[in-house]
Amino acid sequence: MYQRLARPALFRLAGGDAEGAHEWTLRRLASLPVAARRALGRVYAVDAPREVFGLRFPNPVGLAAGMDKNGVALPAWPALGFGFVEVGTVTRYAQPGNDRPRVFRLRASHAVINRMGFNNDGAEVVLRRLAARAQHGGIVGVNIGANKDSADRADDYVRLIETFAPVASYFTVNVSSPNTPGLRNLQQATELDDLLARVIDARERVRKNAGDSPVLLKIAPDLSLADLDDVVHVARSRRVDGMIVANTTIGRPSTLREQTRLKEQGGLSGRPLFRLSTRMVAETFVRVEGAFPLIGAGGIDSGGAALTKIRAGASLIQLYSSLVYKGVGLVESIKADLSSTLLRTGRESLSEIVGADAATITAEDWPG
Ligand SMILES: Cc1cc2nc3c(=O)[nH]c(=O)nc-3n(C[C@H](O)[C@H](O)[C@H](O)COP(=O)(O)O)c2cc1C
């Protein structure tokens, strides 16, 4: 229904401008009537709450960062079946991001290229929105990043931890966006060690007043395995609570059909990212050795893809690009598929299969 009727109309909106269609959708979701919201949520076996990072997740399917950067549609996401939502990336000060157009659909490949550049309303405004919703509960992670012109990027992350600690269920330290020049350098061992030391220190300082907020590190799928060794080593030694694998890729897989779009700069997401990001989940899982859980993101567009990501090592998953192509009904269909897998295999919970295929996947040829 979405793909036959709604999607063509949506893709024609705003003269075919992808960002215009995104803004229109967010406005509709922000004003979804309460009755419609209540009617939407169904309950599957996979809706049994699970504890990850010390938090109770109602189900393992989350909304990835970037969709609701400013937290304007918070009530809509749980109503559509999501178990958690990650707002952001939020920066300390509001910033406009890069010039438009900066989001491009690659329709035949079910992919997106974006170079948004952390456009967002800034910490103060987003904090007010999250605080106004705080009594409604639900897991709302806050993905934080540095302003483009920041003189001390690590300090931005520290201030953001201090600001959002009272309302953030968890933090994601985003050092993997390709659209803020130099940001990905924060993944290098010495810089990352300094950043995480300061971030974890800030979290400990605010803990007494604001409670505990787990800190997760979100990485790029483009790291070399030697770099991944360093990143995991630093993450473990600084005792982060988890990692999100992965952000968008700056690579352009040879399978992409849209030659004209390939010259667009930015991060690629969606179906063509699936194999690389799943490989990186498995590579990370074997290096982490159970020290903390992982969230898997990248190209998940079906129950089967979700299951593969979980078997590669993800305790939870996040979606973004597939919602553009398949609509929000995808959340319920992934949950239904995961639930029938549980019933069919006689398992109580997905945690029994997290990482079951990690060793096999890491032995395969590198995804091209
Ligand atoms: C338009 C767009 C904007 C995004 N913005 C952010 C962001 O602000 N911060 C972030 O950490 N990831 C951002 N992402 C990356 C997603 O959170 C996710 O990691 C990535 O798209 C892979 O998942 P997918 O293939 O399901 O889209 C963005 C992705 C897209 C498509």
Side-chain angles (χ1 to χ4, degrees):
M1 168 97 151
Y2 172 81
Q3 286 169 59
R4 281 191 41 229
L5 298 174
R7 191 176 76 184
L10 194 61
F11 282 9
R12 276 196 303 273
L13 268 178
D17 168 45
E19 188 168 352
H22 173 248
E23 286 166 343
W24 184 89
T25 307
L26 260 189
R27 277 198 302 277
R28 295 282 83 70
L29 286 172
S31 56
L32 200 64
V34 176
R37 282 192 241 136
R38 291 223 179 92
L40 284 166
R42 258 171 283 157
V43 178
Y44 298 99
V46 81
D47 280 312
R50 73 224 50 230
E51 198 170 305
V52 187
F53 318 121
L55 299 169
R56 275 175 80 74
F57 287 79
N59 73 66
V61 185
L63 180 73
M67 178 69 152
D68 192 4
K69 282 178 188 275
N70 296 305
V72 295
L74 289 175
W77 308 115
L80 295 169
F82 284 104
F84 62 109
V85 37
E86 190 168 311
V87 303
T89 297
V90 186
T91 54
R92 200 172 157 200
Y93 303 110
Q95 61 179 27
N98 294 319
D99 292 339
R100 295 187 187 207
R102 52 193 180 178
V103 191
F104 308 91
R105 287 188 291 251
L106 283 67
R107 291 176 60 170
S109 304
H110 277 213
V112 175
I113 290 177
N114 94 83
R115 51 168 178 272
M116 303 293 277
F118 288 172
N119 57 305
N120 76 105
D121 293 343
E124 204 183 308
V125 171
V126 179
L127 174 68
R128 240 183 282 134
R129 261 181 219 133
L130 266 51
R133 284 286 313 163
Q135 80 278 13
H136 289 88
I139 296 197
V140 181
V142 180
N143 179 307
I144 56 176
N147 273 111
K148 187 180 175 188
D149 57 1
S150 166
D152 180 352
R153 288 186 161 164
D155 187 56
D156 281 24
Y157 290 88
V158 167
R159 304 285 187 123
L160 287 158
I161 297 265
E162 291 167 353
T163 305
F164 282 102
V167 295
S169 305
Y170 68 85
F171 283 107
T172 298
V173 175
N174 180 11
V175 288
S176 46
S177 166
N179 302 316
T180 296
L183 191 88
R184 283 184 167 199
N185 295 341
L186 291 171
Q187 293 175 118
Q188 285 162 11
T190 340
E191 288 208 45
L192 186 64
D193 190 52
D194 175 62
L195 172 67
L196 291 182
R198 290 170 69 180
V199 160
I200 297 291
D201 180 60
R203 197 272 307 272
E204 294 306 313
R205 267 187 288 111
V206 294
R207 185 179 231 153
K208 277 179 241 91
N209 299 325
D212 206 1
S213 308
V215 171
L216 319 183
L217 177 69
K218 183 168 179 179
I219 62 167
D222 306 316
L223 291 172
S224 69
L225 292 183
D227 287 341
L228 184 63
D229 286 342
D230 289 347
V231 166
V232 171
H233 176 76
V234 172
R236 289 180 66 171
S237 70
R238 289 296 170 194
R239 296 181 171 279
V240 305
D241 299 280
M243 282 172 62
I244 303 186
V245 186
N247 214 312
T248 56
T249 177
I250 53 170
R252 297 291 182 261
S254 52
T255 48
L256 284 178
R257 302 201 219 156
E258 291 83 350
Q259 291 304 317
T260 50
R261 287 288 191 216
L262 294 187
K263 63 177 190 328
E264 297 294 353
Q265 271 191 18
L268 174 77
S269 56
R271 200 178 273 171
L273 176 59
F274 181 72
R275 286 193 64 215
L276 174 64
S277 56
T278 303
R279 177 65 179 257
M280 290 302 278
V281 168
E283 296 285 354
T284 308
F285 183 84
V286 297
R287 286 164 173 77
V288 167
E289 298 175 312
F292 47 68
L294 307 179
I295 299 180
I300 300 171
D301 64 355
S302 65
L307 194 64
T308 304
K309 203 70 107 181
I310 292 165
R311 295 186 66 94
S315 294
L316 303 165
I317 56 165
Q318 289 178 325
L319 323 173
Y320 187 157
S321 303
S322 54
L323 301 172
V324 174
Y325 294 102
K326 294 197 164 172
V328 285
L330 179 64
V331 184
E332 294 297 333
S333 109
I334 288 178
K335 283 163 53 178
D337 284 355
L338 290 176
S339 292
S340 55
T341 303
L342 282 180
L343 295 176
R344 205 178 52 245
T345 55
R347 290 200 167 83
E348 292 248 317
S349 117
L350 291 170
S351 60
E352 295 172 40
I353 52 164
V354 171
D357 292 342
T360 321
I361 292 172
T362 54
E364 289 169 358
D365 286 344
W366 195 260

